[in-house]
Amino acid sequence: MSRLSDTSSFTASLPPVVLEVGELFNAAGHDLSLVGGPVRDLFLGRVSPDLDFTTDADPDQTVAVIKGWADAYWEIGRAFGTIGLRRMGYQIEITTYRAEAYDPGSRNPTVAFGTSLEDDLLRRDFTINAMALRLPSLELVDPFGGVRDLHGGFLRTPGTPSSSFSDDPLRMMRAARFVSQLGVSVAPEVSEAMTDMAGRISIISAERVRDELVKLLRGRAPDAGMDLMVATGLADHVLPEVAALRLETDEHHRHKDVYQHSLTVLRQACELETGEDGPVPGPDVVLRLAALLHDIGKPATRKFEPGGAVTFRHHDTVGAKLAAKRLRALRFDNDTVKAVARLVELHMRFYGYGEAGWSDSAVRRYVSDAGPLLERLHRLTRSDVTTRNRRKAERLAFAYDDLEARISALAEQEELASIRPDLDGEQIMALLGISPGPVVGRAYRFLLEERMEHGPLSHAEAETMLRSWWREQPESKESTQ
């Protein structure tokens, strides 16, 4: 976190559009203040592309001021007192002073317009977001010590935490998100209220919970944000499978702490993401979800064997199903659900390579099964090594280096990323004299297996193999009777 200073050191970095809109409202006889995240970000040495303002003007009055000045405006949020607009490339929201609260069983806020800036700041989530910059005077309004808390790295609420979280239970997840994004810690009273009120998150729609979770995962320390969710009980309602990873270790400590291991894998996966031009640009939500969820099948598959050994057989396939079910419940899109579940399913595939070695056909299958997820799978598998045994870690790293080298070598020869049978569907039907149907699919899969096993075949070799296979099929024998 950058060192804080007085307002004169950062107001010069304000986008001109901020002062411009301030002058417009002032000329129209209305108060206007830059508020919330954009003010906080000024203290952190960054300018937000999205600018939030609050005003004593009602939505009709706001439209009257900005109409003709804004490049475009929209009124989707009018019911909440918000008018959105675009100007000079900036997304701007201007909201009438307000207060909002949730009824005990409601998923949506009820809105009442307020009458003062200070009252508006009181209803905001945290003190670091309850600061405002009056326009056009540039007076900093900080009635709840937001600068102090930002400097100290603490997350506090303007009023009592219980009142804040009762008004909007999603603020509890937002606290975990800010831990991830900003590196702050929650104040003890905030943590206590989150723990006492964790169950209130259940009234929030799955879509809003998902969006907040994604923001947390995209932060610079998602493991810390997730740890807060687990510690306070929020994860019991949002990601219970992660909370369940806190398995009791046996008295002889024959298996590692699965929960702490998963947080470490998440952190290490973040470190392996690439820049914008790389194969896995960070922050990559799919990779981070897979890292967090990769072992969620372990609680259901844990077994104590005779002699005290602990096993988790098939936890990868069980975990893949659990991950897909949970992500669907959180309303993630189908592509994300399938990608994360597939990575969880494949994350154990590499183990054993270092001891037994793989044939070229096994390497081809590894690449083919990963498909477009291969680069993420590389990073997930490497991140999954959290052993403190230096020799074991080095041995696994060397083995995976070798596997990646073999993949690269085979890719140059065979275009592994797009492995197909040596004959396509049309050629199969022409050669066998059959019509479209299930038999064509079986023949296609047979040729794909042969391609995996033996590498590229010539057209003549593929035809010979297909004819040999066809002679053993019941449909071939029926056609000759």
Side-chain angles (χ1 to χ4, degrees), residues 129-208:
N129 294 328
M131 299 183 286
L133 205 60
R134 288 190 187 275
L135 300 169
S137 67
L138 299 181
E139 173 195 355
L140 179 66
V141 181
D142 182 18
F144 307 107
V147 171
R148 173 203 64 208
D149 291 342
L150 195 57
H151 184 61
F154 284 105
L155 209 58
R156 304 181 194 276
T157 55
T160 64
S162 59
S163 176
S164 179
F165 298 153
S166 179
D167 283 348
D168 185 353
L170 192 64
R171 290 172 174 174
M172 294 184 286
M173 281 195 66
R174 203 171 295 152
R177 187 239 293 184
F178 286 134
V179 167
S180 172
Q181 289 180 333
L182 304 178
V184 296
S185 300
V186 296
E189 67 272 15
V190 172
S191 176
E192 182 179 349
M194 290 173 66
T195 302
D196 291 343
M197 303 177 68
R200 282 277 287 165
I201 197 68
S202 62
I203 75 168
I204 303 297
S205 69
E207 290 82 1
R208 294 185 71 207

Side-chain angles (χ1 to χ4, degrees), residues 36-265:
V39 179
R40 177 200 69 220
D41 287 348
L42 285 171
F43 282 99
L44 296 175
R46 60 196 192 192
V47 177
S48 173
D50 300 328
L51 301 173
D52 296 324
F53 298 84
T54 189
T55 180
D56 62 350
D58 64 31
D60 287 335
Q61 292 169 324
T62 294
V63 170
V65 173
I66 59 96
K67 196 171 184 179
W69 172 79
D71 297 330
Y73 74 93
W74 48 93
E75 303 182 46
I76 298 174
R78 173 182 278 272
F80 299 98
T82 300
I83 300 298
L85 63 98
R86 184 171 60 253
R87 169 76 176 180
M88 297 169 61
Y90 287 92
Q91 295 288 116
I92 293 173
E93 287 191 348
I94 301 175
T95 302
T96 305
Y97 297 151
R98 69 186 189 190
E100 66 184 28
Y102 277 76
D103 292 329
S106 173
R107 290 172 180 259
N108 300 305
T110 57
V111 177
F113 294 151
T115 58
S116 74
L117 175 59
E118 287 73 13
D119 288 346
D120 182 86
L121 295 178
L122 176 62
R123 56 154 288 277
R124 294 182 179 268
D125 53 5
F126 301 104
T127 60
I128 62 173
N129 294 328
M131 299 183 286
L133 205 60
R134 288 190 187 275
L135 300 169
S137 67
L138 299 181
E139 173 195 355
L140 179 66
V141 181
D142 182 18
F144 307 107
V147 171
R148 173 203 64 208
D149 291 342
L150 195 57
H151 184 61
F154 284 105
L155 209 58
R156 304 181 194 276
T157 55
T160 64
S162 59
S163 176
S164 179
F165 298 153
S166 179
D167 283 348
D168 185 353
L170 192 64
R171 290 172 174 174
M172 294 184 286
M173 281 195 66
R174 203 171 295 152
R177 187 239 293 184
F178 286 134
V179 167
S180 172
Q181 289 180 333
L182 304 178
V184 296
S185 300
V186 296
E189 67 272 15
V190 172
S191 176
E192 182 179 349
M194 290 173 66
T195 302
D196 291 343
M197 303 177 68
R200 282 277 287 165
I201 197 68
S202 62
I203 75 168
I204 303 297
S205 69
E207 290 82 1
R208 294 185 71 207
V209 169
R210 174 204 62 208
D211 291 347
E212 202 61 47
L213 178 62
V214 168
K215 291 174 183 177
L216 183 158
L217 288 169
R218 291 175 63 87
R220 64 190 185 190
D223 55 314
M226 187 54 57
D227 197 29
L228 177 63
M229 286 187 59
V230 171
T232 57
L234 274 174
D236 291 332
H237 304 277
V238 176
L239 284 173
E241 296 82 4
V242 173
L245 291 174
R246 294 174 295 177
L247 298 170
E248 294 180 5
T249 54
D250 61 284
E251 60 179 340
H252 300 294
H253 302 286
R254 291 190 178 92
H255 68 85
K256 70 181 86 175
D257 184 325
V258 181
Y259 170 65
Q260 289 298 332
H261 163 74
S262 296
L263 293 185
T264 301
V265 173

Side-chain angles (χ1 to χ4, degrees), residues 12 30 76 82 96 154 156 159 217 266 306 314 321 343 349 365 380 390 412 441 478:
H30 298 297
I76 298 174
T82 300
T96 305
F154 284 105
R156 304 181 194 276
L217 288 169
L266 173 58
H314 307 301
K321 294 176 182 177
L343 285 169
R349 183 72 64 88
R365 286 188 177 88
L380 176 60
R390 183 173 60 83
E412 288 183 9
E478 290 173 2

Side-chain angles (χ1 to χ4, degrees), residues 306-329:
V310 182
T311 62
F312 303 95
R313 291 189 180 91
H314 307 301
H315 77 272
D316 43 358
T317 54
V318 171
K321 294 176 182 177
L322 290 174
K325 183 178 180 181
R326 176 55 51 194
L327 295 181
R328 288 193 188 100

